[in-house]
Amino acid sequence: MSTPLDPLVWVPTVGGHELALDGTTLTCRNSSGRVLKSVPKAVRTSPEGERLTELRDRLLRHEAECWATVESWLLAGVPIPAALLARVWPDPGWRSCLRHLVVVVDGQVGLLEDVSEEGRTRLSGTDGIPYAPPVGPVTVPHPALLPDVAAWQGALDAAQIAQGITQLAREVHRRPADVAPEATSVDDYAGGYFEELRHATARAAQHGFVMRGGFAVVRTLDQGADQGADRRAAVQARYWLGADDPGLPADTGRLIWVDEAERPVPLGEVGPVAWSEGVRMAALIYGGRQTHDQ
């Protein structure tokens, strides 16, 4: 939820009440200035209430778009032009997603604190001391590629601040040492029973995954085993949920990775980000299966 940077702007409405948007929350106060716990129906359905509700909905959609875009930068690990960050930084929706992320600028790693109109970033280290690297592209590294996640999380905890998108607290899954390198699927999350297929697909949607041909999918750009240090390949993780009638029972299937040509990627060639995100997706959906206790 957004936190307003300026004082609330109160709009007069019916019955001496006033309305304001507190971030993305519609807030109401009565004629004596007391903020109410809820917005009365007559106030909410007034012309002023409907206009502010419509504005709130637009802000929520905008925040969701900002969140999805910044998360895509995290999954891709590609450099973001400094000019682009400078352009979006004044927008509270963008800033709430970007601020306090661990980023890399000119080879220097730090928590992103500010971006100037010229694209110069202000970062802070794990000790909280700020510094300003040269103007240049900004990369948001995936936590699977950060060797000191605990130290950065400790810096956030010490400053009592939180990230707008899940980076440091994101679940990271490492490829087990005993995985057969030539295998092309993981079956650890197969056999998850859902009373109706729509329950599985709804859980996928709840966590931001899209469905394609019966698979829940997540796309990453990753450095595989056969890629150079500066080369990344598009890899898509796919977790089988089913393609039958949404009202019929369904059992989850295998988790696979495919390249841009739709060819299965051997597990030994799946990079750390693609592996982590694929297993994370499967675990989140599998966690909603119906168990014997239920």
Side-chain angles (χ1 to χ4, degrees), residues 78-181:
V78 294
I80 306 143
L84 174 58
L85 280 189
R87 183 174 180 180
V88 302
W89 187 261
D91 184 318
W94 284 103
R95 193 165 58 249
S96 65
C97 292
L98 291 164
R99 179 173 278 165
H100 309 315
L101 290 181
V102 177
V103 299
V104 180
V105 186
D106 193 43
Q108 301 182 56
V109 185
L111 294 171
L112 181 60
E113 304 293 352
D114 193 23
V115 181
S116 72
E117 294 181 358
E118 297 76 27
R120 180 176 294 276
T121 56
R122 181 167 61 85
L123 310 182
S124 63
T126 53
D127 54 7
I129 298 176
Y131 63 96
V135 175
V138 176
T139 303
V140 184
H142 190 279
L145 305 177
L146 284 172
D148 46 4
V149 170
W152 291 112
Q153 187 61 58
L156 288 179
D157 294 342
Q160 296 184 326
I161 53 180
Q163 294 184 314
I165 69 166
T166 306
Q167 182 194 33
L168 295 177
R170 198 176 191 86
E171 301 92 341
V172 173
H173 301 269
R174 309 287 184 184
R175 182 173 53 207
D178 59 354
V179 166

Side-chain angles (χ1 to χ4, degrees), residues 181 183-185 234-235 256-259 263-271:
T184 56
S185 67
V235 179
I256 64 172
W257 287 263
V258 299
D259 61 18
R263 296 171 301 198
V265 178
L267 299 187
E269 297 179 14
V270 178

